[in-house]
Amino acid sequence: VARSFGRSMTSKTVSRPNGGIEHYKSVRDSSGNEEVTVTRSIGGQSYTITTKTDAQGKQERIENFVNMDEGDLKEFEKKWGSKL
C-alpha cells in the first residue's frame, strides 16, 4: 500500500499604520495536524501565540513574550489596538 505524506503552509505578514507588524503562519499536514503561529510586534516587543491542534482536535497553546512578560500584555494590546 502506497502512502503519501504532505503538508501545506500559509504565511502572511501585515504592517500596520501604528508601526506594528503581524506575522501569521499556518502549517497543516496530511494526517490532520495543524500548527498556527501569530506574532505581533511593536517597537522592541513581540508576543507570539502558537496553537497546535492534533488530528483528534486536542489543542495545545504556547505563548512567547520578547522584551515583555505576561504583566505587560494588557499595555501591549492597548498599543496594538486589540487582543490576539
Side-chain angles (χ1 to χ4, degrees):
V1 174
R3 298 185 93 178
S4 65
F5 180 83
R7 67 182 199 172
S8 63
M9 186 183 98
T10 303
S11 181
K12 175 175 75 169
T13 301
V14 178
S15 297
R16 295 173 49 116
N18 68 358
I21 296 173
E22 181 176 70
H23 182 73
Y24 170 91
K25 180 177 155 187
S26 172
V27 180
R28 180 186 298 262
D29 68 25
S30 58
S31 300
N33 301 301
E34 184 177 35
E35 182 173 311
V36 176
T37 303
V38 180
T39 301
R40 288 183 169 177
S41 304
I42 298 177
Q45 295 180 318
S46 70
Y47 173 54
T48 301
I49 294 179
T50 300
T51 306
K52 297 178 180 183
T53 307
D54 68 17
Q56 289 73 45
K58 180 177 171 253
Q59 284 195 333
E60 175 186 5
R61 183 175 154 135
I62 302 161
E63 293 179 290
N64 187 36
F65 301 91
V66 174
N67 291 330
M68 60 186 274
D69 60 34
E70 237 176 297
D72 301 319
L73 188 55
K74 278 196 188 328
E75 186 62 32
F76 181 82
E77 288 172 341
K78 194 171 162 185
K79 278 193 271 182
W80 185 265
S82 68
K83 287 185 169 188
L84 188 58

